[in-house]
Amino acid sequence: AGSDAGRDEAIAAAVLVAKERLRSWRAPSDDELRRKGLSELQIRVTRHDGTEPAFRNKYWDNHEAGIYVDSVSGEPLYASTDKFDSGTGWPSFVRALPGTELRANTDYNMGFARTEMRSPIANSHLGHIFPDGPKDRGGMRHCANSASLRFVPIDEMDAEGFGDLRRALFPNHKQPEL
């Protein structure tokens, strides 16, 4: 467990570096997001608390190594190392990246209490947290909408400014020769 704690500290430090680059970030309007190439579904999910269809979304069955960032701000949120197949049809993670403090709100939109999760910088609606995740990984399931995420493959992390995070998450990965 000591090495896990040290690894989590390195991940949290790398997340802090990435968040520091976003310090002057400001929330764009829906029209600005359209001009940046976000789809109507991405805008509806992230800005207007929508939900995409199960099993018909981009990342529910993605098994590549890398990270998932907020589709609006680019802030790092999740790692492929924490993703699991929940059988729900949405990307599911056992936790957010260490150093990422998701905003949590209780909503009653389905007629019962659920814990909504939102990104810390952009305040994007990400999905919900449920207490039915893998018990050996903490027991939580972060059920996210693909529309609120953008996947950054491991081999593109350095080019996108996530080299420190890549080294912390995947210390044995060799970058391809350029």
Side-chain angles (χ1 to χ4, degrees), residues 48-170:
H48 306 286
D49 303 341
T51 300
E52 66 196 359
F55 300 104
R56 292 188 324 225
N57 58 75
K58 194 169 185 176
Y59 302 125
W60 77 272
D61 199 28
N62 181 30
H63 301 287
E64 287 184 62
I67 61 169
Y68 295 83
V69 300
D70 184 300
S71 63
V72 173
S73 67
E75 63 192 283
L77 300 170
Y78 294 103
S80 60
T81 53
D82 292 318
K83 190 172 186 285
F84 70 100
D85 182 1
S86 65
T88 62
W90 287 283
S92 296
F93 305 87
V94 295
R95 64 179 186 169
L97 283 166
T100 299
E101 302 297 326
L102 297 179
R103 296 178 185 191
N105 304 310
T106 302
D107 78 39
Y108 297 89
N109 298 343
M110 301 293 289
F112 56 90
R114 298 186 302 173
T115 302
E116 177 200 21
M117 56 187 183
R118 302 187 77 85
S119 62
I121 295 172
N123 195 33
S124 296
H125 170 73
L126 302 174
H128 293 85
I129 301 172
F130 300 96
D132 60 4
K135 298 287 182 243
D136 64 334
R137 302 275 320 265
M140 302 308 286
R141 172 173 55 98
H142 290 227
C143 185
N145 288 284
S146 290
S148 63
L149 305 173
R150 181 174 65 83
F151 181 69
V152 181
I154 190 172
D155 288 333
E156 296 174 21
M157 289 176 67
D158 287 58
E160 292 210 21
F162 298 113
D164 290 342
L165 189 52
R166 180 193 54 78
R167 286 183 289 279
L169 282 166
F170 309 102

